[in-house]
Short mmCIF file of all heavy atoms in Angstrom, two decimals:
data_model
loop_
_atom_site.label_atom_id
_atom_site.label_comp_id
_atom_site.label_asym_id
_atom_site.label_seq_id
_atom_site.Cartn_x
_atom_site.Cartn_y
_atom_site.Cartn_z
N ASN A 93 -43.00 30.40 -48.61
CA ASN A 93 -43.55 29.11 -49.01
C ASN A 93 -43.16 27.97 -48.03
O ASN A 93 -42.61 26.96 -48.44
CB ASN A 93 -43.06 28.76 -50.44
CG ASN A 93 -43.63 29.67 -51.48
OD1 ASN A 93 -44.74 30.24 -51.30
ND2 ASN A 93 -42.94 29.88 -52.57
N MET A 94 -43.41 28.20 -46.80
CA MET A 94 -43.18 27.19 -45.75
C MET A 94 -41.69 26.88 -45.53
O MET A 94 -41.35 25.95 -44.82
CB MET A 94 -43.91 25.89 -46.07
CG MET A 94 -45.41 26.06 -46.36
SD MET A 94 -46.33 26.54 -44.89
CE MET A 94 -46.23 25.04 -43.93
N GLN A 95 -40.82 27.67 -46.11
CA GLN A 95 -39.40 27.51 -45.97
C GLN A 95 -38.83 28.69 -45.18
O GLN A 95 -39.13 29.84 -45.47
CB GLN A 95 -38.73 27.43 -47.34
CG GLN A 95 -37.23 27.49 -47.34
CD GLN A 95 -36.60 26.10 -47.41
OE1 GLN A 95 -37.22 25.12 -47.11
NE2 GLN A 95 -35.33 26.04 -47.81
N THR A 96 -38.01 28.37 -44.14
CA THR A 96 -37.42 29.43 -43.30
C THR A 96 -35.89 29.27 -43.23
O THR A 96 -35.40 28.13 -43.03
CB THR A 96 -37.99 29.41 -41.89
OG1 THR A 96 -39.40 29.66 -41.96
CG2 THR A 96 -37.34 30.49 -41.03
N ILE A 97 -35.19 30.35 -43.44
CA ILE A 97 -33.74 30.36 -43.25
C ILE A 97 -33.36 31.50 -42.32
O ILE A 97 -34.14 32.43 -42.09
CB ILE A 97 -33.00 30.50 -44.59
CG1 ILE A 97 -33.31 31.85 -45.20
CG2 ILE A 97 -33.29 29.36 -45.52
CD1 ILE A 97 -32.23 32.42 -46.09
N ASN A 98 -32.15 31.42 -41.79
CA ASN A 98 -31.63 32.47 -40.91
C ASN A 98 -30.31 33.01 -41.47
O ASN A 98 -29.35 32.23 -41.62
CB ASN A 98 -31.42 31.95 -39.49
CG ASN A 98 -32.71 31.58 -38.80
OD1 ASN A 98 -33.69 32.28 -38.85
ND2 ASN A 98 -32.72 30.39 -38.18
N LEU A 99 -30.26 34.28 -41.75
CA LEU A 99 -29.01 34.95 -42.11
C LEU A 99 -28.40 35.47 -40.81
O LEU A 99 -28.88 36.45 -40.25
CB LEU A 99 -29.27 36.08 -43.11
CG LEU A 99 -28.06 36.78 -43.70
CD1 LEU A 99 -27.23 35.79 -44.51
CD2 LEU A 99 -28.48 37.94 -44.59
N VAL A 100 -27.37 34.80 -40.34
CA VAL A 100 -26.72 35.14 -39.07
C VAL A 100 -25.56 36.08 -39.33
O VAL A 100 -24.63 35.76 -40.07
CB VAL A 100 -26.21 33.88 -38.34
CG1 VAL A 100 -25.56 34.23 -37.04
CG2 VAL A 100 -27.39 32.88 -38.12
N LEU A 101 -25.63 37.26 -38.72
CA LEU A 101 -24.64 38.32 -38.98
C LEU A 101 -23.99 38.73 -37.69
O LEU A 101 -24.66 38.99 -36.68
CB LEU A 101 -25.31 39.52 -39.64
CG LEU A 101 -26.14 39.23 -40.91
CD1 LEU A 101 -26.89 40.46 -41.34
CD2 LEU A 101 -25.24 38.72 -42.03
N ASP A 102 -22.64 38.84 -37.70
CA ASP A 102 -21.91 39.30 -36.51
C ASP A 102 -20.98 40.42 -36.95
O ASP A 102 -20.19 40.26 -37.89
CB ASP A 102 -21.12 38.14 -35.92
CG ASP A 102 -21.15 38.17 -34.40
OD1 ASP A 102 -22.24 38.37 -33.83
OD2 ASP A 102 -20.09 38.00 -33.77
N SER A 103 -21.08 41.58 -36.27
CA SER A 103 -20.25 42.70 -36.60
C SER A 103 -18.92 42.61 -35.88
O SER A 103 -18.86 42.28 -34.71
CB SER A 103 -20.96 44.03 -36.25
OG SER A 103 -21.22 44.07 -34.85
N LYS A 104 -17.83 42.90 -36.61
CA LYS A 104 -16.48 42.82 -36.06
C LYS A 104 -15.74 44.11 -36.40
O LYS A 104 -15.34 44.30 -37.56
CB LYS A 104 -15.72 41.62 -36.62
CG LYS A 104 -16.37 40.28 -36.35
CD LYS A 104 -16.38 39.90 -34.90
CE LYS A 104 -16.97 38.51 -34.68
NZ LYS A 104 -17.05 38.16 -33.25
N PHE A 105 -15.58 45.00 -35.44
CA PHE A 105 -14.85 46.24 -35.65
C PHE A 105 -13.37 45.99 -35.33
O PHE A 105 -12.92 46.20 -34.21
CB PHE A 105 -15.42 47.34 -34.77
CG PHE A 105 -14.85 48.72 -35.09
CD1 PHE A 105 -15.31 49.42 -36.19
CD2 PHE A 105 -13.84 49.26 -34.32
CE1 PHE A 105 -14.77 50.68 -36.50
CE2 PHE A 105 -13.30 50.49 -34.62
CZ PHE A 105 -13.76 51.20 -35.71
N LYS A 106 -12.69 45.50 -36.35
CA LYS A 106 -11.26 45.20 -36.14
C LYS A 106 -10.53 45.32 -37.46
O LYS A 106 -11.16 45.33 -38.55
CB LYS A 106 -11.05 43.84 -35.54
CG LYS A 106 -11.66 42.69 -36.37
CD LYS A 106 -11.33 41.33 -35.77
CE LYS A 106 -11.96 41.15 -34.40
NZ LYS A 106 -11.72 39.75 -33.88
N ASN A 107 -9.23 45.35 -37.42
CA ASN A 107 -8.42 45.47 -38.63
C ASN A 107 -7.90 44.08 -39.00
O ASN A 107 -6.99 43.56 -38.35
CB ASN A 107 -7.26 46.42 -38.40
CG ASN A 107 -6.42 46.60 -39.65
OD1 ASN A 107 -6.84 46.27 -40.74
ND2 ASN A 107 -5.21 47.11 -39.46
N TYR A 108 -8.48 43.50 -40.03
CA TYR A 108 -8.02 42.19 -40.53
C TYR A 108 -6.83 42.43 -41.47
O TYR A 108 -6.98 42.34 -42.70
CB TYR A 108 -9.14 41.46 -41.24
CG TYR A 108 -10.23 40.98 -40.32
CD1 TYR A 108 -11.50 41.56 -40.34
CD2 TYR A 108 -10.03 39.91 -39.46
CE1 TYR A 108 -12.53 41.09 -39.54
CE2 TYR A 108 -11.03 39.44 -38.64
CZ TYR A 108 -12.29 40.06 -38.67
OH TYR A 108 -13.27 39.59 -37.85
N ASN A 109 -5.69 42.74 -40.91
CA ASN A 109 -4.54 43.01 -41.77
C ASN A 109 -3.85 41.74 -42.21
O ASN A 109 -2.83 41.77 -42.91
CB ASN A 109 -3.52 43.95 -41.08
CG ASN A 109 -3.11 43.42 -39.72
OD1 ASN A 109 -3.43 42.30 -39.37
ND2 ASN A 109 -2.41 44.24 -38.96
N TYR A 110 -4.38 40.61 -41.78
CA TYR A 110 -3.84 39.32 -42.20
C TYR A 110 -5.02 38.51 -42.69
O TYR A 110 -5.94 38.18 -41.94
CB TYR A 110 -3.15 38.63 -41.05
CG TYR A 110 -2.58 37.25 -41.34
CD1 TYR A 110 -1.77 37.02 -42.44
CD2 TYR A 110 -2.85 36.18 -40.50
CE1 TYR A 110 -1.25 35.79 -42.72
CE2 TYR A 110 -2.34 34.92 -40.76
CZ TYR A 110 -1.54 34.73 -41.86
OH TYR A 110 -1.02 33.47 -42.14
N LYS A 111 -5.05 38.19 -43.98
CA LYS A 111 -6.23 37.60 -44.62
C LYS A 111 -6.75 36.36 -43.89
O LYS A 111 -7.93 36.18 -43.71
CB LYS A 111 -5.95 37.29 -46.09
CG LYS A 111 -7.10 36.62 -46.85
CD LYS A 111 -8.30 37.57 -46.96
CE LYS A 111 -9.42 36.95 -47.76
NZ LYS A 111 -9.14 36.90 -49.22
N LYS A 112 -5.83 35.51 -43.46
CA LYS A 112 -6.26 34.26 -42.86
C LYS A 112 -6.98 34.45 -41.54
O LYS A 112 -7.75 33.60 -41.12
CB LYS A 112 -5.06 33.30 -42.70
CG LYS A 112 -4.59 32.71 -44.01
CD LYS A 112 -3.50 31.68 -43.78
CE LYS A 112 -3.06 31.08 -45.13
NZ LYS A 112 -2.00 30.05 -44.93
#
Side-chain angles (χ1 to χ4, degrees):
N93 294 332
M94 306 293 290
Q95 171 97 340
T96 298
I97 63 152
N98 294 314
L99 186 62
V100 180
L101 307 172
D102 219 45
S103 61
K104 302 292 184 183
F105 188 80
K106 58 176 64 175
N107 181 17
Y108 289 109
N109 55 8
Y110 179 50
K111 178 64 178 287
K112 288 186 178 180

